[in-house]
Amino acid sequence: MRKKTVIFLAAILVLLLLGGCGSEEGLVAEFSDDKMEGMEHLYAGNEYGYYFDVYSEISKDKPRNGIMEMEKCSDDLYFMIENAGMERKMAVQVFIDYVQVPILVGGQEYFTYMVDTDEHFSETFCFRLRDKISESVNHKATVAMTAYADKNEMDAEDEVTVDSRSLAYDMILVFDEENELATDTLYDYEEARELYKDMYSGLIINTDMEEFKRKSPPRSLEVKPGEKIKLSYHTGGFDDCQEVLVILSLGMEQIPVNGQNFIKCKVGEGNLFNGILEITAPEEEGRYDLTGWVIKDPFSEFAGELVPLCDMPRFTIDVCE
């Protein structure tokens, strides 16, 4: 079992379960009010934790309430990573209106920014959005950090696949409080194979295309280069939302799902949505981990409480001839 973790984003000092819903990894057993030496946010009792904080210059010293203010889209933004106890490679992805965008760090362009962290790591990074976005509307900004980005789930020591080992938050990027929020008008809602109720909430994707059970996926799936892959997914189960949106990444980069950047599902309050999705395997042979997140009421103008997004049990797409 990999080590315990501490939550990500926006100077939140509350310890939460890794990956939000359904994580098997526990909270820190021994909690100390003392900060770990050399750390701003990790506490001494959490010897194997990590922390991720994202903010704008304007929001840096404000309460973290799910809103990140900017004056213009070229403003500097910042993320901070702290890591303790073991070396980890972290993958940082930025999504604007649920589409991954390239960022500039130190003047260099990155689609996914990788950070190698040692056993006692604390560093702040300045970045910008590479491309202009409209400042006449506000936008959804989703930021994800995935640990063990250089590892494949099929090589992990865990007995079963667990959540993505990623920490992600969905925020509103505000240029003006009077602006409307950008919404999606391109994609239709997915058609449910089944809507049902059960004691679960979150996102599970697996290979069960016969009984369509909600169960953990296999550790790996072997496919051919460029092969079309059909998978079953179960998502929703939240008491406080009417629709959800699912983003998927393969090899730490967003991939199309059912031929579009993301999928939307009308779930209704408390319902779980079972559907079928299709992705395409890379043309190049290799091992690629499938990771993903579910966002509740994605285009709501209400920021709500800033809590981690639920992620899916991670597994490896093994591409070989």
Side-chain angles (χ1 to χ4, degrees):
M1 180 70 69
R2 286 175 182 159
K3 304 298 183 180
K4 303 167 185 174
T5 60
V6 173
I7 266 343
F8 141 97
L9 192 64
I12 297 179
L13 302 181
V14 180
L15 297 175
L16 297 165
L17 289 174
L18 172 60
C21 303
S23 174
E24 292 186 358
E25 307 237 356
L27 296 173
V28 178
E30 303 84 15
F31 185 80
S32 169
D33 290 335
D34 297 327
K35 296 289 178 60
M36 192 179 299
E37 183 178 358
M39 300 289 184
E40 291 187 32
H41 300 285
L42 290 185
Y43 287 83
N46 183 22
E47 298 177 355
Y48 294 98
Y50 52 82
Y51 174 91
F52 190 49
D53 184 6
V54 178
Y55 51 87
S56 66
E57 190 69 44
I58 299 173
S59 65
K60 179 179 180 179
D61 298 319
K62 293 185 177 182
R64 303 318 202 220
N65 57 1
I67 291 178
M68 188 161 62
E69 297 172 279
M70 298 177 69
E71 292 184 349
K72 54 187 183 298
C73 63
S74 59
D75 285 353
D76 287 340
L77 300 169
Y78 304 88
F79 64 82
M80 179 186 187
I81 296 176
E82 292 191 337
N83 180 69
M86 62 187 301
E87 295 180 357
R88 297 181 180 93
K89 181 181 284 289
M90 309 293 196
V92 178
Q93 296 171 263
V94 177
F95 304 83
I96 299 297
D97 299 325
Y98 307 113
V99 177
Q100 188 172 355
V101 297
I103 61 173
L104 300 174
V105 182
Q108 298 294 313
E109 179 182 325
Y110 301 90
F111 194 60
T112 299
Y113 190 71
M114 298 290 187
V115 180
D116 290 307
T117 65
D118 58 26
E119 298 176 358
H120 197 91
F121 184 92
S122 179
E123 189 169 343
T124 299
F125 300 81
C126 177
F127 73 97
R128 290 184 178 183
L129 303 178
R130 187 199 66 178
D131 301 326
K132 293 189 66 175
I133 60 175
S134 173
E135 297 169 3
S136 63
V137 293
N138 298 328
H139 300 266
K140 295 306 289 285
T142 307
V143 185
M145 182 182 75
T146 305
Y148 312 103
D150 55 340
K151 308 292 184 183
N152 294 117
E153 187 63 31
M154 65 183 296
D155 299 321
E157 297 177 357
D158 305 84
E159 294 181 1
V160 296
T161 55
V162 296
D163 296 341
S164 297
R165 309 185 191 282
S166 71
L167 304 168
Y169 278 75
D170 192 51
M171 300 172 287
I172 300 178
L173 188 61
V174 174
F175 291 107
D176 191 312
E177 291 183 356
E178 301 301 318
N179 286 353
E180 294 185 350
L181 181 68
T183 58
D184 168 61
T185 58
L186 297 177
Y187 302 151
D188 294 329
Y189 289 93
E190 294 294 300
E191 182 177 345
R193 195 197 71 84
E194 180 186 14
L195 278 174
Y196 65 98
K197 290 187 182 293
D198 206 342
M199 295 182 64
Y200 172 83
S201 61
L203 171 65
I204 285 180
I205 298 176
N206 62 36
T207 58
D208 183 2
M209 299 294 291
E210 295 182 358
E211 297 181 329
F212 298 96
K213 290 184 177 180
R214 192 184 70 246
K215 59 185 180 181
S216 294
R219 187 171 300 284
S220 65
L221 175 63
E222 187 173 307
V223 300
K224 301 292 186 182
E227 181 178 336
K228 302 295 184 182
I229 308 168
K230 285 192 174 182
L231 300 166
S232 172
Y233 68 99
H234 299 256
T235 189
F238 306 107
D239 291 333
D240 55 350
C241 85
Q242 297 297 314
E243 64 181 78
V244 298
L245 181 148
V246 174
I247 300 173
L248 293 186
S249 285
L250 191 62
M252 307 301 154
E253 293 187 359
Q254 187 178 22
I255 56 167
V257 190
N258 290 351
Q260 52 200 35
N261 289 312
F262 50 79
I263 53 176
K264 301 184 299 183
C265 307
K266 288 187 176 180
V267 292
E269 189 166 323
N271 289 324
L272 281 157
F273 183 107
N274 174 223
I276 297 171
L277 62 83
E278 183 178 273
I279 61 174
T280 303
E283 294 291 343
E284 186 175 342
E285 292 187 67
R287 294 175 174 180
Y288 306 81
D289 272 22
L290 185 68
T291 56
W293 307 270
V294 57
I295 297 98
K296 300 190 299 183
D297 288 328
F299 297 103
S300 170
E301 295 190 5
F302 175 64
E305 184 181 0
L306 189 62
V307 295
L309 298 177
C310 291
D311 59 354
M312 58 169 277
R314 170 175 171 173
F315 64 98
T316 303
I317 304 294
D318 187 9
V319 182
C320 55
E321 289 288 358

